[in-house]
Amino acid sequence: MSELLKRKRILSGIQPTGTPTLGNYLGALRNWALLQNSYDCLYMVADLHALTVRQVPADLRRNSRALTALLLAVGIDPKEHILFVQSHVPAHCELSWILACNTQFGELSRMTQFKDKSAKHPDNVNGGLFTYPVLMASDILIYNADLVPVGQDQTQHLELARDIAGRFNNIYGETFVLPEGYVPAAGAKVMSLSEPTKKMSKSDPNVNSFILMTDDKDTIVRKFKRAVTDSDGMVHFDTANKPGVSNLMTIYAAFTGKTMPEIEAEFAGKGYGDFKMAVAETTVDAICPVQEELQRIQADKAYVDGVLKDGAERAARLANRTVSKVHRKVGLLQLEK
Ligand code: AQP
C-alpha cells in the first residue's frame, strides 16, 4: 500500500459562483495546497451546490473551468490528489437521495444557513436550498472522508453529516466513516472591505467589498485605499471596535507571518495611508505569482479539461464503490455483472 493511501482523507469544495476572493484564498485555497503534504486530498468544484442560488448558465460553466485553473495555479497537484467537478460524479446525487430518506424534516429545518439564505433570496426559496446539507453529507460520506476543513458557517452541516452517518450505520450496519471537522492552523477569516463586520464574499454586489484573485495591481491598491477603517488613526487589533483595521491587519499577518503586536509596532505613529499601502503591496506580491501561473494554465484549456476528466474518473471509482455498498445495505436489487 502506498504512503498516500495510509494517510487520512480530506474532502473540501468551493462553489464556482464567481471569481474567488482573497477570503477564499486565505481561508481555504492556500491551506488546500499545504494540506496536500499531509493528507490524501479530494478537492471539488461544487457546481451542484451553486445551483441553490440562480446562476447564469454560461457564467457557471465558465467559472467551473476558471476555478479549476485557479486551483491548479495555487498548487493543487491533480496527479497525487483528486481534483474534480461535483456534477461529473453523478453518484453524489444518487447517494444524496438515499441519505435524504434517512434525514428528518425537522433536522433540515433547524439549519441556520437555510434560514439565512432564504432571507437573502426570498424569491427563490427552493427545495435544493433546503436539502443542500444532505448533498453536502453525501459529498463527504461517499469518499469516507476522515476530515473536512470547515469554516464556522459549515459546522452545523458537518454535525448533520455525522448524525446521518451514525444513524445509517446504526440501522444498516457499519458503512460510513464519521467525519471530523478540521480547522487549519493557518486559516484566516477575511471580512468585507466596505462592511468589515460581514465576511468577504465573491457574490457581494459591491465590487469594492472584495479583492478578487484576478484583480490587477492598480485595482488592488485602489480597493485597499477605499477600505473602511475608523477615525482614530491607530493601527491596533480590536475586532469589536475597529473591525476594518483589524481585518486589514489579519490580511497583512496572513501574508507576512507577523503577529498583531509586531504589526502594531511597525505602524505606530504612521497614518492609515502607509498601512493600507503596505497591505496592498504585500497582497500584490503574494498573488502576482498565482496570477501568472493562472494565465499560463488558462491558455491550455485541453490540459484543464484533461485534469477534470481524470479527476472525475478517479473520484467516481471511489464514489461508486460506496454507492454500491449502500444499495446492498438498504435492499435495492442489484443484478449480477
Ligand atoms: N471571507 C472569507 N474568509 C475566509 N474563508 C472564506 N471562505 C469563503 N469566504 C471566506 C472559504 O472559502 C471556501 C469556499 O467557499 P465557497 O465558495 O464554497 O462558499 P462561500 O463560503 O459561500 O464563499 P463566498 O465567497 O462567500 O461565496 P458566495 O458569495 O457564492 O456565497 C470555504 O471553505 C469558505 O469557508
Side-chain angles (χ1 to χ4, degrees):
M1 194 186 273
S2 80
E3 191 54 35
L4 187 65
L5 288 175
K6 280 185 259 161
R7 292 170 171 188
K8 284 200 166 176
R9 189 175 283 172
I10 274 202
L11 173 115
S12 204
I14 176 164
Q15 300 183 60
T17 39
T19 305
T21 66
L22 195 58
N24 296 124
Y25 181 63
L26 290 177
L29 306 187
R30 192 173 70 155
N31 287 315
W32 286 15
L34 295 174
L35 290 169
Q36 296 180 114
N37 299 324
S38 317
Y39 299 97
D40 176 3
C41 304
L42 287 129
Y43 292 133
M44 173 182 87
V45 173
D47 57 348
L48 295 173
H49 287 302
L51 293 179
T52 54
V53 173
R54 193 96 62 218
Q55 302 292 329
V56 175
D59 291 351
L60 181 61
R61 228 180 334 263
R62 193 180 47 247
N63 286 338
S64 296
R65 197 178 267 125
L67 183 53
T68 305
L70 182 66
L71 293 176
L72 293 167
V74 301
I76 302 306
D77 178 345
K79 288 209 161 66
E80 284 293 322
H81 302 274
I82 301 182
L83 174 57
F84 68 103
V85 171
Q86 187 183 24
S87 66
H88 295 176
V89 184
H92 287 231
C93 293
E94 220 178 324
L95 179 61
S96 179
W97 172 255
I98 297 173
L99 296 183
C101 295
N102 287 277
T103 307
Q104 299 304 303
F105 179 84
E107 289 178 305
L108 293 175
S109 310
R110 284 195 288 277
M111 296 292 119
T112 52
Q113 203 180 78
F114 171 70
K115 293 179 199 164
D116 293 348
K117 286 210 172 177
S118 316
K120 212 167 147 189
H121 304 280
D123 55 327
N124 187 21
V125 184
N126 59 75
L129 202 57
F130 188 66
T131 55
Y132 160 100
V134 182
L135 182 57
M136 179 173 153
S138 168
D139 300 331
I140 300 166
L141 302 180
I142 208 163
Y143 298 109
N144 282 312
D146 301 288
L147 297 170
V148 185
V150 278
Q152 257 177 14
D153 55 336
Q154 290 293 343
T155 50
Q156 204 187 18
H157 291 162
L158 181 65
E159 219 29 68
L160 179 68
R162 286 173 57 86
D163 289 348
I164 297 172
R167 180 177 311 140
F168 192 98
N169 289 349
N170 275 337
I171 300 172
Y172 299 105
E174 214 49 34
T175 309
F176 296 119
V177 168
L178 263 55
E180 304 277 346
Y182 175 87
V183 181
K189 183 165 182 192
V190 180
M191 310 306 279
S192 155
L193 297 183
S194 50
E195 282 177 80
T197 50
K198 261 177 45 183
K199 81 163 183 162
M200 184 180 282
S201 265
K202 54 178 136 49
S203 61
D204 195 315
N206 179 358
V207 294
N208 290 314
S209 70
F210 50 66
I211 303 286
L212 295 180
M213 288 303 290
T214 50
D215 279 345
D216 61 21
K217 182 176 177 198
D218 291 348
T219 309
I220 293 174
V221 170
R222 183 171 39 80
K223 286 182 176 177
F224 274 121
K225 274 190 181 162
R226 294 180 66 149
V228 168
T229 47
D230 50 59
S231 55
D232 80 6
M234 268 180 50
V235 175
H236 172 61
F237 191 74
D238 177 350
T239 48
N241 298 306
K242 295 168 69 69
V245 169
S246 302
N247 185 37
L248 297 179
M249 289 177 77
T250 301
I251 295 169
Y252 193 62
F255 282 130
T256 59
K258 291 178 184 170
T259 62
M260 295 307 169
E262 282 168 350
I263 299 171
E264 287 170 359
E266 186 178 346
F267 294 98
K270 296 184 186 159
Y272 287 159
D274 285 357
F275 172 52
K276 285 178 167 181
M277 210 49 212
V279 179
E281 278 169 4
T282 321
T283 303
V284 169
D285 289 348
I287 70 175
C288 239
V290 176
Q291 293 183 346
E292 282 166 18
E293 189 60 3
L294 177 64
Q295 276 178 8
R296 193 184 66 76
I297 293 168
Q298 270 186 321
D300 192 350
K301 190 173 132 192
Y303 167 67
V304 175
D305 287 6
V307 162
L308 289 180
K309 195 159 177 280
D310 178 62
E313 278 167 16
R314 288 160 59 216
R317 251 195 310 273
L318 298 172
N320 290 341
R321 219 179 288 158
T322 305
V323 167
S324 170
K325 186 172 173 186
V326 167
H327 276 209
R328 199 171 60 245
K329 296 243 176 186
V330 301
L332 298 178
L333 177 63
Q334 292 174 301
L335 301 175
E336 300 232 343
K337 293 207 172 114

